[in-house]
């Protein structure tokens, strides 16, 4: 799945989303499950416009979606209920999403207003996505999804997507058929801070469904009674196993027949308030059902029949049979328990007899050598053991009796609850009958008050009924009009999308033909080249292969000619001049480097096109940021894993600023407001010694990035300001070559002040002291620590370097100093910086080792020091798969404790300091000797003589 960008929720149909508009997300209930567990469950839905997917999660805080719906190829519908149908169980706010292959997903909004809003928005999203499938520059590498950038140089460098012209008549018709509606609080990002809508019950299903399931299970028991079949229902609550005996089934069938006869006398009334047949289920299994049904009694009061419960004969017969069955069950259980207790007593007696015989035999053998006192002591102990055993048996019997008493009390409580429920139902039914008779009595009294009233009463009653029927028909008509308008719009959109899809298919077919022709041309030239290389020649200068190679290189590197607009569609735009970060993809000067860079850019493009992630990283980020809307973002494992997978382009500014603020909070709290501006003003008014070196390094910072390529570039002035301000904040360092590249990378996503604090984070928080001073003491120490880690994590490679005496720290020193700037491709560079700004300097060690492990086998194949060193100078630019490199860095190299790095830093720091002290002593001795010796004092260099 593609990464989800920051999407916006549109207004009326046909309008494009603007920056900062809310995302389409919110709570919906999804019909899921099977059998008795099938019902609506509340889910958090988020729309991803890059793939036109509607993802659903357990809640707003969950990073991994449960699944998705493909909106681009779906159609929508809903059923208009009859007036009053909602009371019968139909859901007026439910709608259906029909996916390819016949799959139907039923979703339910909290209100009908929300349902209309969701349908309108999903239609709009589908319309925009399908119409923009052929938009130019849709690739996320060259033009990410527009979002509300607020920081950095990259923010001002996002080209808009070029949208194809749409059918004006279709747009006008869609606008006419659109239904204006506004969402409630359960739709939009603000809904993430609210609890999920409370469902009617823990398991959403109707009593009719439960009745059907129980009848089906009981019928299966009848058919397969000889096979000992069982029907088991698994729910979120504890249910008991329904396994009635054949006698129970016969009794329940007899009760069912009697109840049917009772129900025939009340044909004009509805069925019982309890559609279950409790007589068909044993008493112990009946109580959990009764409890669950009791919670839904009020919601299904329309299904109850008052007169059925008033039929005293039927109730009396049922209650007598139930009591008789219950007493027999209790007696049977009591007899079973007595039998078990007798068996246990016999087993204990047999065991006692065997132990006595063994003791007697053992005592007879040893009694000769045992004193009498010992024997008496043994007999006393035996008596004590027997007494304790008897006491234990008595306690067990008391325990069993108490458990039986508790069980009997529970049964009585259940019976009382059941009787209470029946009495409450009876009272309710009688109250309804009384109210009904009272209304009839009042009507009769009113009719006898006047003769004219008596004559006109049937007419007035008929008129009232007709008015009620008219209101009902008006409501139905309005509902059908809305439904008809929506379905007409759906048909119109689907027809237009089908025509667009057919036209798009024809265009893709033409493009495929054009690409196939170009492939044939390339293969033809390749075969000619192979043939020419195979033919032997006398002189290399006269080789025809050289001419073929030269021609192929010219064809590959020459600029594409201007094409007609209709031809431009068939020409694939594979490599752009700059990537999304502003780095030049293909250099202009060196022809050989230009060819390598273009080949690398094509490999990156191929890698991006072949990626197919199961779960979009962007969607995880969207959902996580939505969950932190109304609470402060905190460090956690979930956030660390998200950052390690890479921060999406559109969220990098926000996350980098948050990471920097997290690390420099104590510094910021101790400074006055406007601290950065004060430092900058001081630097501009009074230049310090570092100013000259800063000016010299500005244009040499990132010459291959368009934001720093010329003196007039916007990034140059910002870079100057940050470096000057830092030189006044930290006079011990002032300026060191390498700081300019750190600031240049930070400025791509941060404003000047945030980039300044980012530099403070790296120099004063992450890195040890003296890392960027003149001696570069901390940098030297880290190289020795890295050597230790390489020998531990990659022993074969370390031995290979030692064998050929390759000093790889000459290459890795710059990695640590500038955090891989200009050492790896830009996509990998910014993923490294994502983790670096959150976790700290340990990430540099991880990725430095991962780079060597990535190419370990290739390095081991090289068998001389020159080829190894030459390969190490450029091999990092050949690593393009960021996901594989990240998996090595954070997976294959574990464990990676920070304590180990700190200990080794302290150990090597002392050694390096001793070495520097020795070197300084040697230097001082040499200078002292030169001053005292006349011959050495006369030997001065040419530079000293010129000065």
């Amino acid at each position: 799945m593609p990464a989800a960008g920051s999407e916006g929720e549109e207004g009326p149909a046909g309008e494009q989303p603007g920056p900062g508009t809310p995302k389409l997300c919110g709570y919906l209930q999804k019909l899921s499950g099977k059998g008795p567990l099938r019902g609506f469950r509340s889910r958090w839905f988020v729309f991803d416009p890059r793939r036109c997917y509607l993802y659903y999660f357990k809640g707003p805080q969950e990073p991994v979606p449960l699944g998705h719906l493909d909106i681009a190829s779906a159609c929508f519908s809903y059923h208009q209920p009859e007036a009053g149908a909602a009371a019968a169980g139909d859901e007026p706010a439910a709608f259906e999403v029909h996916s390819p292959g016949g799959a139907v997903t039923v979703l339910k909004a909290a209100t009908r207003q929300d349902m209309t809003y969701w349908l309108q928005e999903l239609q709009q999203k589908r319309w925009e996505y399908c119409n923009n499938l052929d938009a130019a520059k849709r690739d996320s590498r060259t033009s990410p999804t527009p979002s509300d950038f607020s920081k950095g140089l990259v923010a001002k460098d996002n080209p808009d997507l070029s949208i194809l012209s749409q059918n004006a008549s279709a747009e006008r018709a869609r606008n006419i058929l659109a239904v204006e509606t506004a969402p409630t609080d359960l739709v939009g990002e603000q809904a993430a801070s609210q609890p999920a809508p409370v469902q009617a019950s823990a398991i959403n299903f109707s009593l009719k469904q439960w009745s059907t399931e129980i009848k089906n299970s009981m019928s299966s028991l009848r058919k397969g009674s000889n096979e000992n079949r069982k029907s088991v229902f698994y729910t979120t609550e504890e249910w008991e196993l329904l396994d009635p005996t054949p006698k129970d089934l016969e009794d329940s069938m007899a009760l069912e027949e009697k109840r049917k006869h009772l129900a025939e006398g009340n044909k004009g009334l509805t069925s019982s308030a309890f559609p279950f047949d409790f007589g068909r289920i044993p008493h112990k299994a009946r109580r959990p059902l009764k409890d669950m049904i009791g919670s839904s009694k009020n919601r299904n009061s329309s299904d109850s029949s008052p007169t059925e419960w008033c039929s005293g004969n039927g109730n009396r017969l049922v209650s007598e049979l139930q009591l008789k069955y219950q007493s027999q069950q209790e007696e049977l259980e009591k007899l079973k328990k007595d039998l078990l207790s007798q068996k246990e007593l016999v087993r204990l007696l047999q065991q006692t007899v065997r132990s006595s015989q063994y003791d007697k035999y053992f005592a007879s053998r040893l009694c000769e050598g045992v004193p009498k006192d010992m024997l008496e002591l043994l007999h006393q102990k035996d008596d004590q053991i027997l007494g304790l055993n008897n006491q234990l048996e008595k306690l067990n019997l008391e325990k069993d009796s108490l458990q039986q008493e508790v069980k009997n009390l529970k049964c009585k409580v259940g019976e009382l609850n059941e009787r209470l429920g029946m009495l409450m139902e009876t009272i309710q039914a009688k109250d309804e009958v009384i109210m009904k008779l009272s209304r009839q009595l009042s009507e009769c009294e009113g009719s006898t008050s006047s003769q004219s009233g008596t004559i006109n009463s049937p007419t007035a009653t008929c008129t009232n009924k007709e008015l009620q029927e008219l209101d009902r028909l008006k409501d139905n008509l309005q509902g059908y009009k809305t439904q008809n308008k929506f379905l007409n719009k759906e048909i119109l959109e689907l027809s237009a999308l089908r025509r667009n899809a057919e036209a798009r298919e024809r265009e893709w077919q033409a493009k495929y033909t054009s690409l196939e022709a170009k492939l044939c041309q390339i293969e033809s030239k390749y075969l000619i080249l192979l043939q020419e290389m195979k033919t032997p020649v006398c002189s290399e200068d006269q080789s025809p292969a050289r001419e073929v190679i030269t021609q192929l290189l010219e064809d590959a590197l020459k600029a594409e000619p201007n094409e007609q607009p209709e031809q431009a569609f068939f020409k694939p735009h594979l490599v752009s001049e700059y990537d999304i970060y502003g780095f030049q993809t293909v250099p202009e000067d060196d022809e050989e480097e230009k060819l390598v860079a273009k080949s690398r850019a094509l490999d990156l493009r191929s890698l991006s096109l072949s990626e197919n992630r199961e779960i979009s990283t962007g969607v995880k980020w969207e959902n996580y940021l939505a969950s932190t809307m109304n609470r402060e973002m905190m460090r956690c494992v979930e956030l660390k894993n998200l950052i390690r997978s890479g921060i999406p382009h559109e969220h990098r500014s926000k996350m980098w600023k948050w990471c920097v603020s997290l690390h420099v909070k104590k510094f910021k709290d101790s400074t006055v407001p406007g601290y950065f501006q004060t430092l900058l003003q001081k630097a501009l008014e009074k230049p310090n010694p570092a100013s000259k070196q800063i000016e010299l390094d500005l244009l040499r910072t990132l010459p291959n990035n368009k934001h720093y390529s010329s003196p007039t570039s916007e990034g140059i002035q910002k870079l100057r300001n940050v470096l000057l301000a830092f030189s006044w904040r930290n006079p011990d360092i002032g300026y060191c070559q390498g700081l300019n590249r750190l600031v240049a990378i930070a400025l791509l996503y941060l404003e000047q002040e945030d980039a300044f604090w980012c530099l403070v984070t790296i120099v004063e928080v992450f890195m040890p002291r003296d890392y960027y001073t003149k001696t570069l003491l901390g940098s030297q120490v880290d190289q020795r620590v890295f050597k230790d880690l390489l020998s531990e994590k990659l022993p074969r490679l370390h031995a290979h370097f030692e064998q050929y005496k390759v000093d790889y720290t000459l290459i890795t020193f710059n990695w640590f100093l500038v955090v891989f700037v200009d050492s790896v491709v830009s996509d990998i560079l910014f993923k490294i910086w994502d983790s670096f700004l959150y976790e700290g300097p340990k990430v540099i060690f991880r990725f430095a080792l991962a780079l060597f492990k990535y190419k370990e086998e290739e390095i081991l194949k090289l068998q001389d020091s020159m080829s190894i060193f030459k390969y190490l100078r450029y091999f990092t630019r050949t690593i393009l798969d960021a996901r594989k490199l990240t998996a090595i860095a954070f997976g294959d190299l574990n464990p990676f404790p920070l304590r180990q790095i700190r200990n080794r830093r302290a150990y090597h720091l002392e050694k390096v300091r001793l070495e520097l002290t020795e070197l300084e002593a040697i230097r001082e001795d040499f200078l002292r000797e030169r001053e005292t010796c006349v011959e050495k004092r006369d030997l001065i260099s040419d530079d000293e003589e010129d000065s």
Side-chain angles (χ1 to χ4, degrees), residues 79 133 232 239 272 279 306 331 423 427 484 493 554 609 622 636 686 774 834 847 868 924 933:
H79 299 286
L133 280 177
V232 185
W239 279 45
S272 171
E331 186 177 355
L423 290 173
I427 292 171
N484 185 52
E493 285 192 5
E554 290 178 358
L609 292 174
E622 290 292 332
C636 60
K686 183 182 178 182
K774 293 180 181 180
D834 292 340
F847 276 97
I868 293 174
E924 290 178 357
C933 182

Side-chain angles (χ1 to χ4, degrees), residues 296-307:
S296 304
K297 219 177 268 183
N298 295 330
R299 298 197 306 271
N300 297 273
S301 60
S302 59
D303 294 339
S304 61
S305 173
T307 42

